């Protein structure tokens, strides 16, 4: 059975929206986009490189997949992130996309995300890594399909923005299986569902 790991950058008050760029996700009038950049350092890069070196397939929600296309699909620089993103099999969950042809090695999972991913994890194949895609993560968490989380907990609060868990989430217990603190105070915590 395939496992699902969700990797998310999060603030102390639970915000996951708009980490990378000011224009990344302005839904709801969010004005704090790009909050994560000043926290990058060599420790974080090394930890993310370790994670990206694991041979997993990728799993995306439509919005994140579409955004990642603009960042990764046309890059030709020689670094492990670009190579990994472009060569990995990428499953994209969407009710609106007609195809996933815009980015190489992408496969469309149409319909209800929890149903399609529940079927996917029973098939032979590599484990699945989700980067971002908070709406997808929420749906899969509610269906009991997220096996582990890697949370990059940033030392700031934003007060507004989309949070990892908005509304109700089922009682789920996790074990801390590892953690690293970066030089800029980000705690990279690895949790596995009990």
């Amino acid at each position: 059975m395939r496992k699902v790991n969700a990797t998310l950058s999060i603030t102390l008050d639970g915000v996951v929206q708009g980490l990378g760029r000011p224009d990344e996700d302005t839904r709801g009038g969010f004005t704090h986009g790009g909050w994560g950049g000043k926290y990058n350092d060599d420790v974080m890069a090394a930890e993310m490189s370790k994670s990206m070196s694991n041979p997993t397939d990728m799993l995306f929600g439509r919005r994140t997949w579409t955004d990642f296309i603009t960042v990764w699909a046309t890059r030709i620089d020689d670094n492990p992130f670009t190579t990994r993103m472009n060569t990995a099999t990428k499953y994209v969950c969407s009710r609106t996309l007609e195809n996933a042809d815009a980015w190489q090695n992408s496969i469309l999972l149409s319909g209800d995300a929890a149903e399609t991913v529940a079927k996917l994890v029973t098939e032979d194949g590599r484990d699945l890594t989700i980067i971002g895609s908070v709406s997808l993560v929420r749906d899969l968490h509610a269906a009991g399909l997220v096996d582990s989380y890697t949370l990059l907990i940033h030392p700031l609060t934003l007060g507004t923005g989309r949070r990892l868990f908005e509304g109700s989430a089922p009682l789920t217990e996790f074990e801390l299986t590892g953690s690293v603190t970066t030089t800029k105070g980000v705690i990279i915590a690895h949790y596995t569902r009990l």
Side-chain angles (χ1 to χ4, degrees), residues 66-87:
T66 302
D67 186 61
F68 273 37
I69 288 170
T70 64
V71 176
W72 299 105
T74 58
R75 274 196 170 167
I76 55 173
D77 53 354
D78 185 22
N79 71 61
F81 298 109
T82 300
T83 301
R84 173 78 172 101
M85 296 303 291
N86 286 316
T87 60

Side-chain angles (χ1 to χ4, degrees), residues 1-187:
M1 186 130 172
R2 302 168 92 168
K3 303 281 187 194
V4 176
N5 175 66
T7 298
L8 296 135
S9 290
I10 187 168
T11 65
L12 291 177
D13 57 344
V15 175
V16 292
Q17 183 174 1
L19 161 82
R21 302 181 317 274
D23 66 340
E24 181 178 338
D25 184 355
T26 59
R27 288 178 290 175
F30 185 68
T31 59
H32 300 299
W35 54 266
K38 70 180 183 178
Y39 294 98
N40 294 336
D41 69 358
D42 290 341
V43 176
M44 184 184 293
E47 283 298 303
M48 294 301 95
S49 290
K50 276 195 257 182
S51 172
M52 294 292 273
S53 69
N54 293 330
T56 65
D57 291 340
M58 307 294 293
L59 183 60
F60 290 99
R62 178 205 47 86
R63 184 177 177 81
T64 302
W65 179 80
T66 302
D67 186 61
F68 273 37
I69 288 170
T70 64
V71 176
W72 299 105
T74 58
R75 274 196 170 167
I76 55 173
D77 53 354
D78 185 22
N79 71 61
F81 298 109
T82 300
T83 301
R84 173 78 172 101
M85 296 303 291
N86 286 316
T87 60
T89 299
K90 295 167 280 293
Y91 295 95
V92 56
C93 298
S94 177
R95 291 186 170 126
T96 59
L97 286 175
E98 293 182 17
N99 63 62
D101 298 340
W103 193 5
Q104 66 188 25
N105 305 319
S106 294
I107 299 168
L108 179 62
L109 300 177
S110 297
D112 180 79
E115 289 176 13
T116 59
V117 173
K119 182 178 181 298
L120 181 63
V121 297
T122 65
E123 299 172 359
D124 288 336
R126 294 177 172 181
D127 288 346
L128 301 159
T129 298
I130 305 171
I131 299 174
S133 299
V134 69
S135 296
L136 175 62
V137 170
R138 280 193 212 118
D139 289 348
L140 299 183
H141 180 86
L145 294 169
V146 177
D147 297 290
S148 61
Y149 283 94
T150 298
L151 298 178
L152 287 75
I153 306 164
H154 289 65
L156 81 155
T157 60
L158 296 175
T160 63
R162 295 173 55 91
R163 287 170 168 74
L164 176 54
F165 296 112
E166 293 178 340
S168 61
L171 173 65
T172 310
E173 293 185 50
F174 291 85
E175 175 185 9
L176 179 66
T177 55
S179 65
V180 173
T181 303
T182 73
T183 63
K184 298 198 177 178
V186 175
I187 298 171

